[in-house]
């Protein structure tokens, strides 16, 4: 049920996602730059939680690859990706927690701003680890603790700190190659526009939002304090790791 609701929110954003995903695009470029400092030529690669294919497009334009897969569980977003991506990319409608690839088959797993939606990060990362070839790379970004300090806790999804993510990576068979974090502050005309920016990228799901529905919540109820300039501060972590040899 919970996953169905997440999917529903993303599917509803299929027409607006590409016009509102500046933060996600910036994050995928930074993740790629971290990766390309170490490696840029791979055989089989996969972009999990590819959404409308923006991250996949950026990835395939900047690295060299033999085969590429783009995976997402939101059919409407994946449909946009299919129309945008070249034939060299195979789009697959699937949950990232469903087993999809043989063991030791992918040289790179990329996942931009998708893993915060995993219901069990340890399980998702263990599966990703199985897919990777020996020393295969895993590059990803995701919001971390401290994200959106402007919003009250009950309206936000629970997030891990970078230290917790590194601990989980270590437990699931990865060695950390590089990691960094940054803050991206987005300014808006009003609080209502701030919330709409989340809704238009499908990222407005939280149990409380979901119970009341965005239209029925008082925008001022959601924010911690009345700032002169309404803003959302994203705290994003970037991680590059490799499958640890046994
Ligand atoms: C913020 S979007 C990122 C999309 C893309 N990577 C980008 O950079 O624009 C998050 C994506 O995660 C996908 N997603 C969330 N949970 C998922 C799951 N369990 N399996 C597959 N995709 C999932 C959503 O459908 C959505 O497309």
């Amino acid at each position: 049920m919970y996953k169905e609701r997440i999917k529903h929110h993303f599917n509803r954003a299929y027409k607006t996602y590409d016009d509102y995903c500046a933060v996600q695009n910036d994050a995928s470029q930074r993740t790629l730059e971290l990766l390309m400092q170490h490696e840029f030529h791979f055989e089989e690669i996969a972009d999990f939680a590819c959404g409308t294919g923006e991250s996949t497009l950026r990835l395939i334009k900047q690295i060299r690859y033999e085969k590429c897969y783009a995976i997402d569980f939101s059919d409407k977003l994946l449909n946009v990706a299919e129309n945008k991506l070249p034939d060299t990319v195979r789009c697959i409608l699937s949950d990232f927690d469903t087993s999809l690839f043989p063991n030791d088959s992918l040289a790179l797993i990329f996942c931009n701003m998708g893993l915060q939606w995993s219901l069990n990060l340890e399980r998702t990362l263990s599966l990703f680890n199985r897919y990777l070839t020996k020393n295969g790379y895993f590059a990803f970004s995701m919001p971390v603790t401290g994200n959106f300090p402007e919003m009250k806790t009950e309206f936000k999804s629970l997030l891990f700190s970078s230290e917790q993510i590194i601990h989980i990576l270590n437990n699931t068979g990865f060695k950390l190659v590089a990691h960094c974090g940054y803050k991206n502050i987005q300014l808006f005309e009003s609080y209502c526009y701030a919330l709409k920016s989340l809704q238009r990228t499908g990222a407005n799901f939280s149990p409380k939002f979901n119970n009341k529905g965005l239209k029925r919540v008082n925008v001022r109820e959601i924010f911690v304090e009345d700032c002169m300039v309404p803003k959302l501060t994203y705290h994003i972590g970037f991680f590059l790791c490799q499958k640890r040899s046994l």
Side-chain angles (χ1 to χ4, degrees), residues 3 6-7 9-11 17-18 21 23-25 27-28 47-56 58 71-75 77-78 92-98 110-119 124 141 201-203:
K3 278 199 183 182
I6 296 172
K7 191 192 290 187
H9 279 264
F10 278 108
N11 267 334
Y17 187 91
D18 283 1
C21 65
V23 175
Q24 289 82 352
N25 283 348
S28 67
D47 181 19
F48 280 92
C50 67
T52 62
E54 286 293 294
S55 51
T56 323
R58 200 170 284 271
I71 301 105
D72 203 283
F73 77 166
S74 302
D75 51 314
L77 265 63
L78 195 71
I92 305 176
L93 180 66
S94 176
D95 191 313
F96 52 48
D97 287 320
T98 302
F110 194 77
C111 187
N112 187 56
M113 300 290 276
L115 287 168
Q116 68 274 26
W117 302 108
S118 168
L119 303 188
T124 309
S141 72
T201 53

Side-chain angles (χ1 to χ4, degrees), residues 4-243:
E4 283 305 312
R5 289 174 178 177
I6 296 172
K7 191 192 290 187
H8 172 73
H9 279 264
F10 278 108
N11 267 334
R12 276 181 34 173
Y14 81 102
K15 282 189 188 156
T16 48
Y17 187 91
D18 283 1
D19 291 329
Y20 287 83
C21 65
V23 175
Q24 289 82 352
N25 283 348
D26 187 51
S28 67
Q29 186 55 38
R30 286 169 190 265
T31 313
L32 259 172
E33 278 161 19
L34 200 61
L35 171 67
M36 290 187 306
Q37 286 170 19
H38 297 268
E39 189 57 85
F40 67 95
H41 189 184
F42 306 90
E43 287 187 7
E44 294 199 22
I45 66 174
D47 181 19
F48 280 92
C50 67
T52 62
E54 286 293 294
S55 51
T56 323
L57 206 53
R58 200 170 284 271
L59 176 67
I60 61 172
K61 277 186 180 161
Q62 295 182 55
I63 60 152
R64 288 175 61 200
Y65 67 100
E66 309 297 326
K67 255 191 197 172
C68 178
Y69 302 93
I71 301 105
D72 203 283
F73 77 166
S74 302
D75 51 314
K76 291 194 173 164
L77 265 63
L78 195 71
N79 196 32
V80 177
E82 255 172 334
N83 290 327
K84 181 187 293 176
L85 295 168
D87 292 342
T88 51
V89 180
R90 189 171 151 218
C91 292
I92 305 176
L93 180 66
S94 176
D95 191 313
F96 52 48
D97 287 320
T98 302
S99 182
L100 261 189
F101 299 100
N103 290 357
D104 309 313
S105 59
L106 300 175
L108 168 68
I109 292 180
F110 194 77
C111 187
N112 187 56
M113 300 290 276
L115 287 168
Q116 68 274 26
W117 302 108
S118 168
L119 303 188
N120 183 336
L121 191 59
E122 190 142 352
R123 194 182 58 199
T124 309
L125 297 195
S126 299
L127 190 58
F128 284 6
N129 187 276
R130 280 215 284 107
Y131 298 151
L132 286 175
T133 53
K134 190 174 168 217
N135 295 323
Y137 281 92
F138 174 34
F140 66 101
S141 72
M142 64 191 280
V144 293
T145 317
N147 195 53
F148 298 160
E150 300 81 7
M151 285 168 80
K152 290 184 188 161
T153 312
E154 63 264 37
F155 288 101
K156 299 187 281 189
S157 304
L158 263 180
L159 295 170
F160 289 113
S161 66
S162 292
E163 293 68 30
Q164 286 170 321
I165 294 168
I166 292 168
H167 183 73
I168 296 173
L169 285 167
N170 197 39
N171 283 350
T172 47
F174 290 100
K175 70 168 185 245
L176 189 69
V177 176
H179 139 255
C180 59
Y182 94 134
K183 256 197 313 200
N184 181 330
I185 302 174
Q186 297 285 304
L187 305 176
F188 299 92
E189 270 175 42
S190 69
Y191 287 114
C192 197
Y193 275 109
L195 290 178
K196 278 190 175 160
S197 76
L198 298 180
Q199 194 179 36
R200 286 170 182 169
T201 53
N204 58 317
F205 177 77
S206 87
K208 191 148 181 182
F209 269 144
N210 205 54
N211 288 341
K212 291 180 112 185
L214 195 53
K215 284 202 186 97
R216 277 175 282 140
V217 290
N218 175 358
V219 165
R220 303 209 170 260
E221 238 182 79
I222 297 170
F223 288 89
V224 173
E225 61 184 39
D226 199 3
C227 324
M228 287 298 284
V229 185
K231 63 182 193 308
L232 285 175
T233 307
Y234 287 81
H235 285 251
I236 301 175
F238 303 89
F239 304 84
L240 177 67
C241 15
Q242 275 184 290
K243 181 167 178 160

